[in-house]
Amino acid sequence: MKKLLLICLVLLLSGCVDKEILDDINIEVGVGYDLAEDPKDKYRGTILFQEFQPDKSVINRTFSGNGKLRQDLIIDVTRQSSEPVVTGGLKVAVFGPKISKLGIYDLIDSFQRDPSIGARVFVITSEDKAEDLLKGEYGTRGNSTYIYNLIQHNIEHRDIPKTNLHLAFRNYHERGRDMFLPRLKKIANDKVELIGISLFEKDKEVDILPLEDLFFFKLLVDKYSEGNFDVQLKKGDLAAIKSIKSTHKIKITDNHAAININIEGIVREYTGTKLTTAVVKDVEKKLEKKVERECLKLLKKFQELGVDPVGLGQIKKTQHRNFDYKKWEDDYKTLGFEVKCNVNIEETGIIE
Amino acid sequence: MKNKRIKEDIQHKEWEQSFIKSKDFKKIFYYNQKTDVRFGLTFMATLIDENIIQDGILPNLLEDEFREIEDIKQLVPVADVQVCDDPSLIEQKLMNGYVMLTIETELKHFGFIAAQKEIVRGLSQPEVEFSVIGPKEAFVESMGQNLNLIRKRLPVKELIIEEFTLGSLSKTSVAMLYMENITNEDNINTVRQRLKNVKFDAITDSSYIVQLISDNSNSPFPQLLDTERPDRVAGILAEGKIAIVVDGSPHVLITPTTLVEFFSSFEDYFLNWILSSFFRLIRLFAVAFSILVTPIYVATLSYHYELIPKDLMSTLITSRREIPLPPILEALFLELTIELLREAGARLPTKVGQTIGIVGGIVIGTASVEAGLTSNVLLIIVALAALASFTTPVYRMGNTIRLLRFPFLFFAELWGLLGIVFCFCVLLTHLTRLTSLGRPFLEPLYPPRVVDMKDALIRLPFEKQSRRPIYLRTKKPIRFSKKKAKKQKDIDE
Amino acid sequence: MKEQPIPERLQISPFLVFFMVMSIQIGIGVLGYQRIIAMDAGYDAWISILFAGGCIHVIIWMIYKICDTAGGDIVTAHKYIAGNFIGKALSAIFIGYFILFSLTVLRTFIEVIQVWMFPEINTFWFAFAFMALCVYIIFGGFRTVVGISFFGLVLPAYLILTFGWAIKFSNFYNLLPIWDHSIKELLTASYHMSLTFIGFESIIFFYPFIKEPKKSQKWAHLAVLTTTLIYTTLAIITFAYFSEEQLSKQIWASLTMWKIVEMPFVERFEYIGIANWNLIILPNVCISVWIVSRLIKRVFNIRQKVGVFFIVAVVLFMIIFLDTRDKINMLNDSVGKMGFIFTFIYIPLLFAAVMIAKKLKRGKKK
């Protein structure tokens, strides 16, 4: 018994590890990076903390610092913070417009290297400075939760393809595929809005996909499980299609990519007089046409930009042995596309 | 010849010498007028039922043809009448509540007539193992009564009762019960041997036996199951286990036993198997919860803030904001408060105990939250853990679970979650090493025996339990033969 | 000189061999083997796992044949072919191997803890506590060691399910096209995979402790099969979850995959996973320390209790000097190579020798 006590005592004295007691630390929940004004430093970073009030409302606190490495920023901020800064609670990482054009690999890489950072962090780009975006006051549950939930539900129900730190990193490293990130804009001090998707070539932003294109973009790169889309009919009538489920199949032969998109949905709203079978057929036709047209346009655009967020290269690799990525880079420029869409409207709501 | 006689006389006097100091030592002489025999009755007044002497012994001895000691066997209408000539037995017999009969003419013979005063508490309801359904009888402090309760439930000749007298001062009668045709011979021998080897002066309760004959006395886990329900004892005897009844104790011991048995209430057998299996699982969950939840709280809050979901974060942080103590001290403070309440409640009369519980629970809890000593989240957690620890059907195991929380807290403070798992490994090793009567304590979990699982974590219907537990190595492993080749029934037949 | 048979109360049921073999196989390697095999054979490497698993069945068959013929463990087999003195000398080599094995496992686990959870945890004191626990287990005898192996496998088994979260973020087309690599690349991957598989050879050391050892052979095969399937499934999920270049950066791919797990009450799972891994590592160290202490007893006639303390002292002494990633890696590599040589080269040789000796002895009798 004495021996046991002695062992316990020794362990307690020498085995103890540094504690991070929940209320004695400052948990970094969001971080933003902008290009530094002073060229000596590489970037200016902003760290977002949450301060919980007794009534559980949240006060957003931001600290900014300059540095060359991600670590510099934390050191900088620690000098201003009353408690040690920890990174394990990170939810959102924002990149400002200038820095995303210059390349963000170093920073994303340091996220992957840090074991305390989760894989479900959302990496986003911002229209204006990331610092400003984080300094808003959105909702009552804190900025990071607000932005996180905003993107989360847009992925689940709307037009943003599945994304998070892990997927961004995977796409970045996948040969024959390029990374894309959702793009946000602060429109007022208490309002933030999704405005599109940033397309990257390697780690540099090359173009922004506007909101209108996102539906077709998601059809190409991801699956819909619950989407919405409005179809304009001839007579000026509108039909809203909901519960869209989509799948896509891409087949690439030597110099030709055949893309098959399958859509299932339900008509929820219709502004015309009567929703007959003929109208439903018409809706299907219209949507098919539109998808085919728009998707082709998108693919052409990607080709021009020299980016490949759809991952055509990778898809071709999975379909051909001894794939040569070098050759693909040239092939991609001349690749021909063919988009086929098949829409199937199953229900028309509870009235006819 | 004469010499010898005197010597015996002196001896006779010597044993009397030590007795005579006690005020309850009585020696009374009588004279039978029919046969002219003078005889003496010696007894301890405190142990004797005077009515037996008045009505059963004296009238016959005084008025009938009483000439020599041997006659008492016919004359006295008491079942337990012995005649012997060994003076060394005198002390033991007197102390067991016998009346000693001596005749002046026969100095070498003594008659012993049983006249014990039996003070038996009336049968009452089981208090610790109360069950809503099923019999409400519980054991009392008298061995005779207890044996009666068991024997009534197993009226077969195979039920053997072996008796031992243990304790150099207390001379406690201890009975070992087993089914001769079922119970494993090795187990019987081991228990017999261990009981014989018991060296202790005063054994006043079965708990002494538990500690004296356990395989590992340095373990916080009880290795003998104690019960106050005669129906449970009858049930386990039929399974092929051994019961130990101790005079003066309302708890009967059961051995060999396993860990899972401590979490099965006998009420489980009165309920439908689906319900009882569900309750057993709930109880198991409660035990795990009770041991682990406070350490997990300490570990998470001290080391692993990453684990906390973002929606819970605000609750935790706001509740802990004003608290000056680190999580471990906060948890220890509350755990110790609960332990104090429990101890105080257990030592006080029922009514006062209840008040203490309410005062402690509500007043101290609320006050310490308001004073900013503990967080309200932890208060909920500790209260739930305490509640969960009361679900253990066996009180002795409940005590163990109370204790186990503290090493886990220590390791949680030391290495966070890793420490909890480490401590769990130590506990697991301890349990794996533990045996009850040489049989593995963790059975049927380890060694894994699927057959015994039928009545462990869950309880399957009785028709599925046609075999006795394997680990008991019974002489008759089969309880009843299953009906063979049941005709397959179709719908609407 | 006839060896004393092991009394029955110390022996284990044949089916427990299943848990023994699996729990010593699954250890620290599972946390990061995907990267190593994918380096050689890319995303075809899962074929290599199946191939390596297949080879092991042959070795298991040989082990049982050796033990059956020699009628005991490896020391008996050595005596059988080379006589008492040389036999013992040969057996003594394995003392070193298993000490290094337990040292590697323990140190690598501590490294994982240091990288992922507690950078400041003191290597020596954690190892000290861990080894103290091992001593406590081994002093309970072989049955306790097996018991811990059993729980060390069954209780953390739920962890397999947690990799299911990764499937939602996986792209199984990554695995296509199948057979995009040469046979040579696949074989190299198989060789590297075998390092994750080693441990099953411990059967040759505890063979006399199995009740009706012949019946246990099918359990040993089943164990290897299960391990192979688990490794293959996990590898396939990993390959689908990571892109190839990304995987090449993940030292502990399995742990990284846990980062995606999110439950309503737990935001990040890897901390729970690593803590649970303690229970998986424990049998690894215990079995190997038990084997060494047994070997010491058989070879040098030293009491097993003394042997255990000796091993613990050696491990604790050596662990102080293993302080950098490079050294740990070097140790891992060399123990892996030793294990490969032992299982895939030495055991077949021993098998041949025993068979020849058997023929010779039979010839003499006639």
Side-chain angles (χ1 to χ4, degrees):
Chain A
M1 208 56 211
K2 261 186 205 155
K3 271 183 221 158
L4 207 71
L5 272 178
L6 201 71
I7 290 177
C8 286
L9 202 70
V10 166
L11 283 177
L12 196 64
L13 291 177
S14 59
C16 230
V17 284
D18 279 0
K19 274 198 205 122
E20 291 170 334
I21 297 176
L22 186 65
D23 52 331
D24 296 341
I25 44 175
N26 246 335
I27 301 171
E28 173 185 342
V29 287
V31 66
Y33 296 101
D34 291 302
L35 206 62
E37 277 145 30
D38 184 354
K40 223 175 37 212
D41 293 319
K42 207 167 150 218
Y43 66 84
R44 177 173 176 77
T46 308
I47 291 186
L48 173 71
F49 300 111
Q50 295 175 324
E51 199 170 286
F52 293 99
Q53 295 301 297
D55 63 348
K56 287 180 188 163
S57 66
V58 178
I59 295 180
N60 299 299
R61 291 229 180 283
T62 49
F63 292 101
S64 296
N66 297 319
K68 283 194 177 64
L69 298 168
R70 193 174 137 245
Q71 201 59 36
D72 296 345
L73 171 63
I74 293 170
I75 292 168
D76 232 22
V77 170
T78 309
R79 278 203 288 268
Q80 307 164 38
S81 151
S82 66
E83 274 129 10
V85 177
V86 292
T87 55
L90 190 68
K91 288 272 157 255
V92 177
V94 190
F95 289 95
K98 280 183 187 154
I99 199 164
S100 19
K101 286 208 174 70
L102 266 175
I104 56 173
Y105 177 72
D106 296 346
L107 292 164
I108 295 198
D109 184 63
S110 81
F111 285 150
Q112 276 273 318
R113 212 169 280 281
D114 188 342
S116 72
I117 285 179
R120 288 189 189 239
V121 175
F122 283 135
V123 186
I124 53 181
T125 58
S126 66
E127 179 83 2
D128 307 308
K129 277 175 76 181
E131 189 175 349
D132 297 336
L133 186 81
L134 287 178
K135 274 188 175 157
E137 288 292 338
Y138 320 119
T140 52
R141 291 161 71 193
N143 285 352
S144 88
T145 313
Y146 189 88
I147 298 173
Y148 190 88
N149 291 348
L150 172 85
I151 298 170
Q152 181 74 38
H153 87 85
N154 268 295
I155 291 175
E156 277 163 21
H157 310 296
R158 287 285 165 169
D159 304 336
I160 301 190
K162 227 189 272 172
T163 175
N164 57 32
L165 178 63
H166 165 73
L167 290 176
F169 208 64
R170 178 170 93 190
N171 291 344
Y172 172 81
H173 279 298
E174 191 96 73
R175 300 183 75 179
R177 192 189 278 272
D178 285 315
M179 166 169 94
F180 55 84
L181 298 175
R183 191 173 180 90
L184 258 62
K185 185 184 179 187
K186 179 181 178 182
I187 47 176
N189 196 38
D190 58 348
K191 283 202 181 75
V192 64
E193 191 185 45
L194 191 74
I195 55 157
I197 272 185
S198 299
L199 298 173
F200 283 78
E201 189 198 358
K202 284 280 123 190
D203 64 335
K204 294 179 185 65
E205 187 189 57
V206 289
D207 199 16
I208 298 148
L209 221 52
L211 217 48
E212 307 85 84
D213 289 339
L214 288 192
F215 177 72
F216 309 102
F217 183 65
K218 187 164 178 176
L219 284 178
L220 283 172
V221 300
D222 198 2
K223 278 179 267 194
Y224 263 105
S225 53
E226 203 179 330
N228 291 281
F229 195 72
D230 295 347
V231 183
Q232 182 109 38
L233 296 175
K234 259 180 222 150
K235 289 165 275 177
D237 293 342
L238 271 173
I241 303 171
K242 70 156 195 170
S243 299
I244 292 181
K245 287 188 184 118
S246 83
T247 51
H248 63 260
K249 261 203 189 103
I250 301 176
K251 201 156 173 61
I252 304 177
T253 49
D254 268 348
N255 216 349
H256 184 79
I259 295 143
N260 259 317
I261 298 172
N262 240 320
I263 298 175
E264 285 172 13
I266 300 170
V267 172
R268 186 177 54 180
E269 261 178 61
Y270 176 62
T271 55
T273 44
K274 204 174 174 208
L275 192 61
T276 54
T277 327
V279 178
V280 171
K281 276 268 158 334
D282 195 32
V283 170
E284 288 181 356
K285 272 267 156 54
K286 278 270 152 41
L287 186 58
E288 277 169 15
K289 278 272 147 57
K290 186 152 175 104
V291 167
E292 280 166 17
R293 201 172 57 234
E294 293 293 329
C295 285
L296 199 65
K297 218 165 81 190
L298 277 182
L299 289 166
K300 285 263 159 65
K301 184 178 180 181
F302 298 151
Q303 201 173 21
E304 268 166 43
L305 289 168
V307 294
D308 187 4
V310 186
L312 293 172
Q314 199 239 343
I315 291 163
K316 190 174 181 190
K317 184 238 158 191
T318 63
Q319 292 167 0
H320 297 84
R321 292 216 171 88
N322 299 322
F323 183 72
D324 186 0
Y325 285 104
K326 278 265 157 55
K327 193 166 159 279
W328 164 252
E329 275 165 29
D330 298 331
D331 286 353
Y332 184 50
K333 284 172 193 150
T334 57
L335 192 70
F337 300 105
E338 184 198 341
V339 184
K340 267 244 165 70
C341 179
N342 180 28
V343 179
N344 190 7
I345 302 227
E346 289 168 332
E347 301 269 346
T348 52
I350 51 167
I351 50 162
E352 281 216 345
Chain B
M1 187 65 203
K2 206 180 176 185
N3 231 350
K4 197 181 176 189
R5 198 161 169 178
I6 292 166
K7 220 178 191 176
E8 259 175 19
D9 261 6
I10 290 167
Q11 228 176 19
H12 206 126
K13 280 273 152 15
E14 254 174 19
W15 69 258
E16 254 174 23
Q17 274 315 309
S18 58
F19 273 96
I20 221 138
K21 288 182 195 155
S22 293
K23 90 172 227 308
D24 58 345
F25 178 74
K26 296 271 154 58
K27 192 168 187 180
I28 306 165
F29 291 96
Y30 297 93
Y31 180 66
N32 187 316
Q33 289 166 336
K34 261 190 192 165
T35 53
D36 276 352
V37 170
R38 264 173 70 90
F39 62 92
L41 292 182
T42 316
F43 54 88
M44 305 299 290
T46 42
L47 293 175
I48 293 299
D49 190 347
E50 305 241 333
N51 290 332
I52 297 180
I53 300 185
Q54 294 289 341
D55 307 335
I57 305 173
L58 274 181
N60 299 311
L61 292 184
L62 286 173
E63 285 155 26
D64 285 347
E65 294 271 323
F66 177 49
R67 287 175 207 285
E68 51 185 359
I69 295 254
E70 281 294 329
D71 288 344
I72 59 169
K73 285 189 176 165
Q74 281 93 49
L75 293 177
V76 180
V78 174
D80 190 0
V81 174
Q82 299 162 16
V83 175
C84 65
D85 47 9
D86 184 2
S88 62
L89 280 176
I90 295 173
E91 185 184 338
Q92 187 204 332
K93 290 287 181 193
L94 282 181
M95 283 306 165
N96 278 340
Y98 285 82
V99 173
M100 182 171 80
L101 181 83
T102 43
I103 305 184
E104 281 190 333
T105 48
E106 282 181 88
L107 277 177
K108 276 190 185 169
H109 286 87
F110 317 99
F112 292 108
I113 305 158
Q116 288 98 336
K117 196 196 290 186
E118 288 266 358
I119 304 173
V120 181
R121 178 161 64 94
L123 289 184
S124 62
Q125 292 202 341
E127 274 181 15
V128 189
E129 290 172 90
F130 180 77
S131 76
V132 182
I133 317 163
K136 305 280 186 294
E137 281 174 325
F139 287 122
V140 289
E141 283 78 3
S142 146
M143 183 156 104
Q145 179 68 272
N146 291 350
L147 290 177
N148 166 275
L149 286 173
I150 299 169
R151 178 68 95 174
K152 232 171 40 189
R153 286 177 168 77
L154 289 170
V156 285
K157 65 173 190 311
E158 283 82 10
L159 174 64
I160 305 288
I161 303 178
E162 271 183 40
E163 197 175 334
F164 304 85
T165 306
L166 302 180
S168 53
L169 287 178
S170 66
K171 306 286 180 202
T172 316
S173 320
V174 174
M176 171 171 94
L177 279 70
Y178 56 87
M179 303 295 285
E180 196 184 19
N181 57 343
I182 298 172
T183 312
N184 178 290
E185 203 66 43
D186 287 346
N187 287 351
I188 300 173
N189 289 338
T190 320
V191 174
R192 194 182 288 141
Q193 201 53 47
R194 287 201 189 158
L195 283 176
K196 276 183 186 159
N197 286 349
V198 165
K199 287 197 175 53
F200 200 70
D201 50 357
I203 290 167
T204 53
D205 186 55
S206 57
S207 321
Y208 284 69
I209 304 285
V210 172
Q211 293 162 56
L212 287 165
I213 71 169
S214 290
D215 292 28
N216 179 356
S217 51
N218 291 329
S219 167
F221 286 89
Q223 294 141 59
L224 280 84
L225 184 69
D226 60 338
T227 179
E228 47 174 2
R229 299 185 63 101
D231 45 349
R232 186 168 201 167
V233 174
I236 59 95
L237 281 172
E239 266 184 357
K241 291 178 190 166
I242 298 167
I244 300 170
V245 184
V246 178
D247 194 23
S249 164
H251 288 270
V252 171
L253 307 176
I254 294 168
T255 185
T257 181
T258 58
L259 183 69
V260 286
E261 211 175 346
F262 283 94
F263 299 113
S264 70
S265 146
F266 202 68
E267 200 179 15
D268 292 350
Y269 296 97
F270 303 148
L271 293 171
N272 170 289
W273 70 274
I274 301 174
L275 291 173
S276 57
S277 301
F278 175 67
F279 291 147
R280 275 194 189 179
L281 291 176
I282 290 264
R283 243 175 262 141
L284 220 68
F285 169 77
V287 169
F289 181 85
S290 164
I291 296 178
L292 292 176
V293 69
T294 335
I296 287 178
Y297 173 87
V298 171
T300 318
L301 263 70
S302 302
Y303 293 107
H304 310 291
Y305 67 91
E306 296 100 331
L307 290 179
I308 304 167
K310 56 181 182 302
D311 298 334
L312 197 63
M313 196 77 105
S314 65
T315 317
L316 283 175
I317 290 186
T318 42
S319 83
R320 259 197 62 81
R321 169 182 305 281
E322 305 302 328
I323 291 152
L325 306 171
I328 177 73
L329 289 184
E330 189 195 357
L332 277 178
F333 172 72
L334 266 188
E335 286 287 358
L336 286 176
T337 314
I338 293 262
E339 290 302 312
L340 284 182
L341 283 174
R342 264 203 271 224
E343 277 302 308
R347 304 280 163 263
L348 286 169
T350 327
K351 293 238 168 82
V352 188
Q354 278 174 357
T355 325
I356 287 284
I358 295 164
V359 169
I362 299 175
V363 178
I364 301 183
T366 326
S368 61
V369 168
E370 268 174 20
L373 281 176
T374 53
S375 66
N376 39 22
V377 177
L378 182 66
L379 188 68
I380 297 169
I381 287 178
V382 170
L384 277 179
L387 189 67
S389 75
F390 288 125
T391 57
T392 356
V394 182
Y395 182 70
R396 228 173 259 278
M397 191 48 95
N399 286 342
T400 310
I401 285 163
R402 273 162 71 177
L403 175 79
L404 282 182
R405 208 171 298 159
F406 292 96
F408 272 98
L409 272 176
F410 170 81
F411 276 100
E413 164 69 4
L414 192 61
W415 290 325
L417 284 179
L418 184 69
I420 293 177
V421 175
F422 188 86
C423 191
F424 180 75
C425 290
V426 177
L427 178 67
L428 204 63
T429 314
H430 179 72
L431 285 172
T432 318
R433 289 186 62 164
L434 214 56
T435 52
S436 168
L437 215 63
R439 308 287 172 197
F441 191 59
L442 272 186
E443 208 272 355
L445 306 174
Y446 178 79
R449 293 203 179 111
V450 184
V451 191
D452 286 2
M453 276 292 191
K454 291 186 300 203
D455 188 12
L457 303 178
I458 52 167
R459 185 186 77 80
L460 291 187
F462 287 123
E463 30 315 348
K464 291 260 159 37
Q465 310 212 9
S466 61
R467 292 177 160 275
R468 299 206 159 82
I470 299 178
Y471 74 100
L472 296 173
R473 307 260 177 239
T474 47
K475 289 178 194 160
K476 268 202 221 159
I478 292 170
R479 289 190 127 169
F480 57 88
S481 56
K482 275 197 210 166
K483 275 179 219 150
K484 272 180 210 161
K486 253 195 194 167
K487 205 185 145 196
Q488 289 219 322
K489 265 196 179 170
D490 200 8
I491 307 167
D492 298 335
E493 236 175 41
Chain C
M1 199 191 99
K2 188 83 183 132
E3 277 155 25
Q4 284 202 335
I6 309 295
E8 203 193 312
R9 68 189 165 82
L10 298 178
Q11 287 182 321
I12 57 165
S13 307
F15 76 95
L16 286 174
V17 171
F18 176 80
F19 299 102
M20 282 290 273
V21 171
M22 266 186 88
S23 67
I24 195 169
Q25 274 191 313
I26 298 177
I28 209 75
V30 192
L31 298 179
Y33 70 101
Q34 299 98 324
R35 175 177 82 125
I36 302 165
I37 51 172
M39 269 179 194
D40 299 305
Y43 277 10
D44 280 335
W46 58 273
I47 303 170
S48 310
I49 303 178
L50 291 177
F51 178 72
C55 293
I56 288 166
H57 285 287
V58 181
I59 305 288
I60 295 249
W61 177 80
M62 284 181 184
I63 289 176
Y64 271 87
K65 208 79 187 156
I66 293 169
C67 292
D68 190 30
T69 315
D73 58 2
I74 196 167
V75 183
T76 324
H78 280 148
K79 278 186 199 163
Y80 185 79
I81 54 167
N84 196 9
F85 184 73
I86 303 174
K88 278 186 174 173
L90 276 174
S91 312
I93 300 169
F94 296 104
I95 295 176
Y97 167 63
F98 276 100
I99 286 184
L100 283 181
F101 183 86
S102 52
L103 180 71
T104 316
V105 172
L106 183 56
R107 184 62 188 97
T108 318
F109 180 55
I110 295 177
E111 193 200 359
V112 171
I113 296 172
Q114 282 168 338
V115 172
W116 286 80
M117 268 174 126
F118 303 128
E120 324 82 8
I121 199 166
N122 187 310
T123 312
F124 178 78
W125 285 112
F126 185 79
F128 180 79
F130 198 91
M131 290 317 271
L133 177 56
C134 280
V135 171
Y136 184 49
I137 293 169
I138 293 167
F139 274 28
F142 186 63
R143 290 185 65 111
T144 316
V145 175
V146 183
I148 291 300
S149 314
F150 173 76
F151 287 119
L153 189 71
V154 172
L155 294 180
Y158 79 97
L159 289 177
I160 296 177
L161 298 179
T162 57
F163 290 106
W165 265 267
I167 291 177
K168 204 180 154 197
F169 295 90
S170 297
N171 178 9
F172 284 93
Y173 287 106
N174 277 354
L175 293 167
L176 294 174
I178 296 169
W179 219 273
D180 200 18
H181 292 81
S182 68
I183 300 285
K184 199 188 147 206
E185 283 167 329
L186 287 179
L187 284 179
T188 329
S190 286
Y191 160 69
H192 283 125
M193 190 58 212
S194 66
L195 310 183
T196 316
F197 269 122
I198 54 170
F200 65 90
E201 70 275 13
S202 53
I203 301 173
I204 206 168
F205 297 92
F206 62 74
Y207 184 85
F209 283 83
I210 310 168
K211 231 180 265 175
E212 304 169 86
K214 274 187 188 160
K215 272 194 190 162
S216 73
Q217 188 169 359
K218 64 167 187 249
W219 291 108
H221 283 295
L222 197 64
V224 172
L225 186 70
T226 319
T227 325
T228 315
L229 291 181
I230 289 176
Y231 282 171
T232 316
T233 321
L234 186 57
I236 287 176
I237 296 177
T238 315
F239 294 164
Y241 182 73
F242 293 105
S243 57
E244 206 168 324
E245 211 181 303
Q246 187 188 12
L247 180 61
S248 69
K249 289 174 188 285
Q250 305 295 336
I251 304 170
W252 292 288
S254 307
L255 292 181
T256 312
M257 272 159 79
W258 271 334
K259 282 184 174 212
I260 205 80
V261 179
E262 193 183 55
M263 298 179 216
F265 46 93
V266 177
E267 189 111 315
R268 298 273 295 284
F269 192 78
E270 64 264 35
Y271 297 93
I272 297 176
I274 294 169
N276 266 298
W277 218 259
N278 191 45
L279 197 53
I280 295 176
I281 292 306
L282 195 58
N284 271 264
V285 179
C286 280
I287 296 175
S288 49
V289 172
W290 181 86
I291 286 174
V292 183
S293 64
R294 176 86 193 149
L295 276 176
I296 291 179
K297 181 187 168 128
R298 300 269 277 130
V299 175
F300 302 113
N301 281 325
I302 295 171
R303 286 182 62 219
Q304 206 162 349
K305 283 192 175 180
V306 182
V308 172
F309 281 122
F310 166 74
I311 301 152
V312 169
V314 171
V315 169
L316 287 181
F317 178 74
M318 281 163 59
I319 214 157
I320 303 173
F321 298 102
L322 293 165
D323 44 5
T324 59
R325 185 83 249 253
D326 285 343
K327 287 183 195 167
I328 298 167
N329 259 346
M330 214 177 70
L331 183 73
N332 260 309
D333 284 349
S334 43
V335 167
K337 277 195 190 104
M338 281 161 73
F340 181 80
I341 294 170
F342 172 41
T343 29
F344 292 94
I345 298 175
Y346 185 74
I347 286 181
L349 285 177
L350 186 66
F351 174 72
V354 167
M355 286 301 128
I356 293 166
K358 186 182 166 192
K359 281 243 165 83
L360 289 178
K361 285 196 181 171
R362 200 176 282 165
K364 261 185 200 168
K365 264 184 195 165
K366 276 178 190 172

